[in-house]
Every structure is written in C-alpha cells, then in structure tokens.
Amino acid sequence: MSMQANYLVKDQELELKYEKGKGAWTYHIQIPNTKHIVGKWGTVKVAGFIDSYKVESINLFSIKGQDKMISVNKGIRDFIKKDAGDTVTVSLHLITKQPEVSERDILEALQDVGVFDQFNQLDTIEKTEILSKIIDERSIQKQTKILLQLIDRLG
C-alpha cells in the first residue's frame, strides 16, 4: 500500500534562522503556509529532507497566528554544513494528523453507552445535524464534549 506524500513544502529554499533565547528552537526553519494546521505540539510531525539530511520525524511548533516552525539541531546543521542565515532546500510532508471521527464511530459510542435507541428516535434532520456538528468540529476535545453532552441529554 503506497501513500502519496502530501507536501507542505517541496524543494523550497528557506532560511535557517537564529533567534537567541528560543531554547530548542534557537535555530529553526519557518514553514510557509502552515498556520492552518491544527494540533498540539507533539501531535503534528513532519518527515522529508533539509538539504541532503533525511528527517524521519520532527515536531511542528506553533506560534499563535504565525506559520509553524521546526527546530534544526546541531547534528543536522553539522551534517548539511549550514549555519544561521544560510539557505536550505526543504521538502517536508505531514506524517501525523488528528484521527478523523466517522459517523460509524459516533453511533458505536452511543451504542456502547446504551443511548443508541434514544438517538434513533430523534427525527432524521436532528440526527443529521448532531452527527455533522460532531464530525465537522476540528478539535477532538470539542468533539468529545459535544458527544458527552448528547449522551447526557439522551440518558
């Protein structure tokens, strides 16, 4: 089963930046057009290449209202022989993302807690609206909250 890589950047020339006092992100690369990616640090990872260095898995770091960035440690900088201010060729794709919740997942959860029959008695429009509200929510925490409110209401 081969998976098509969904590149965030492909063969893009980006600056290796240095900002004193940013800890692990003192040396970093900002990845353009990544503000929209949702997820806490540690849940959104990328793989690909920085110049000839193969990145197996590295966390995207969020800064509110800005594009994500990746840290570039000394090992990587030494391997590619680049330092702050240098340009690097970057190709990165997302390797993790929030698992998608399906209608089936929701219905199975309702069955597991014993409120499926009550849900099924709702009119078709209301059931569709509830399922859409849960599925369309981007945050797993908010999806869970909506589902729990539904279970409380039906139970």
Side-chain angles (χ1 to χ4, degrees):
M1 184 170 115
S2 81
M3 201 171 97
Q4 179 79 21
N6 188 9
Y7 283 94
L8 297 174
V9 289
K10 179 127 174 80
D11 299 325
Q12 195 160 347
E13 301 286 316
L14 299 173
E15 181 187 349
L16 176 56
K17 297 178 180 178
Y18 172 84
E19 288 183 59
K20 187 175 179 168
K22 280 207 183 255
W25 292 273
T26 298
Y27 290 90
H28 64 273
I29 299 169
Q30 201 127 19
I31 311 302
N33 305 311
T34 55
K35 285 180 201 173
H36 69 284
I37 297 173
V38 178
K40 292 183 181 138
W41 184 85
T43 65
V44 185
K45 297 176 186 291
V46 293
F49 286 90
I50 300 171
D51 280 351
S52 60
Y53 184 87
K54 185 173 185 178
V55 175
E56 299 285 346
S57 174
I58 195 165
N59 289 308
L60 279 183
F61 182 71
S62 297
I63 301 172
K64 192 171 180 126
Q66 295 181 33
D67 286 323
K68 308 289 184 270
M69 64 178 171
I70 58 170
S71 66
V72 182
N73 66 31
K74 184 169 175 22
I76 297 171
R77 295 193 310 275
D78 288 349
F79 184 90
I80 62 176
K81 297 175 176 45
K82 299 275 178 89
D83 208 341
D86 290 339
T87 298
V88 292
T89 303
V90 181
S91 292
L92 294 172
H93 62 274
L94 232 37
I95 56 172
T96 55
K97 65 177 201 171
Q98 198 92 338
E100 289 190 22
V101 173
S102 70
E103 183 175 317
R104 182 177 172 192
D105 295 329
I106 298 165
L107 296 177
E108 284 177 0
L110 295 176
Q111 229 163 1
D112 289 346
V113 296
V115 296
F116 179 77
D117 291 339
Q118 294 87 321
F119 177 77
N120 234 6
Q121 291 170 6
L122 300 174
D123 71 63
T124 305
I125 293 172
E126 188 177 4
K127 287 191 288 193
T128 303
E129 285 173 353
I130 291 168
L131 292 171
S132 293
K133 184 177 180 183
I134 295 169
I135 291 168
D136 294 344
E137 180 55 60
R138 291 170 66 170
S139 153
I140 194 88
Q141 289 84 5
K142 289 182 182 170
Q143 286 176 328
T144 304
K145 184 178 178 185
I146 296 166
L147 184 59
L148 290 173
Q149 288 170 344
L150 174 64
I151 291 167
D152 284 346
R153 188 182 117 203
L154 296 173

